Amino acid sequence: QVQLVESGGGLVQAGGSLRLSCAASGRTLSRYCMAWFRQAPGKEREFVAAITWNGGSTYYADSVKGRFTISRDNAKNTVYLQMNSLKPEDTDVYYCAAARAYGLVREVANFDSWGQGTQVTVSS
């Protein structure tokens, strides 16, 4: 497994931006599909965005398409989530996840490494 640590969360006003980072250790990320999920208390973990091992393909949930951008820097073993035009409904704990796969993976069950999460709060 790879160890993941998220950072960059915080409190922002609606319409603002945040950039989340996910730093990996233990193994190189170059063989992993990486993704971001989010979860509110009492709700299921929700897929946000995913990126293939080489950054060649990305996929987004409809709710964030056009506002969020996932990217990765394999040399730095880091994955990013740029979040623009934030809305109050984007308020959640955001989790970084890794799946040993060359293609795009979106299902929670297929990810075997998770970070501890970072809180994002968007005020109206």
Side-chain angles (χ1 to χ4, degrees), residues 4 6 20 26 30 34 49 72 76 107 110:
L4 304 172
E6 302 96 336
L20 305 183
S30 61
M34 299 299 297
R72 66 191 297 162
K76 295 183 178 179
E107 297 77 20
N110 291 330

Side-chain angles (χ1 to χ4, degrees), residues 51-58 72 104:
I51 187 168
T52 51
W53 68 279
N54 61 352
S57 294
T58 57
R72 66 191 297 162
L104 282 170

Side-chain angles (χ1 to χ4, degrees), residues 95-118:
Y95 296 89
C96 175
R100 190 80 181 261
Y102 286 114
L104 282 170
V105 181
R106 289 174 280 164
E107 297 77 20
V108 170
N110 291 330
F111 287 84
D112 49 20
S113 298
W114 293 86
Q116 83 290 347
T118 185

Side-chain angles (χ1 to χ4, degrees), residues 22-80:
C22 173
S25 61
R27 293 191 178 185
T28 175
L29 285 183
S30 61
R31 297 182 180 182
Y32 289 82
C33 169
M34 299 299 297
W36 289 92
F37 290 79
R38 62 188 183 185
Q39 187 172 23
K43 294 189 176 181
E44 291 188 354
R45 196 160 291 189
E46 174 190 23
F47 170 82
V48 175
I51 187 168
T52 51
W53 68 279
N54 61 352
S57 294
T58 57
Y59 188 84
Y60 298 92
D62 288 343
S63 59
V64 306
K65 201 173 295 182
R67 299 188 298 122
F68 290 11
T69 302
I70 188 171
S71 61
R72 66 191 297 162
D73 185 340
N74 285 345
K76 295 183 178 179
N77 242 22
T78 302
V79 178
Y80 306 96

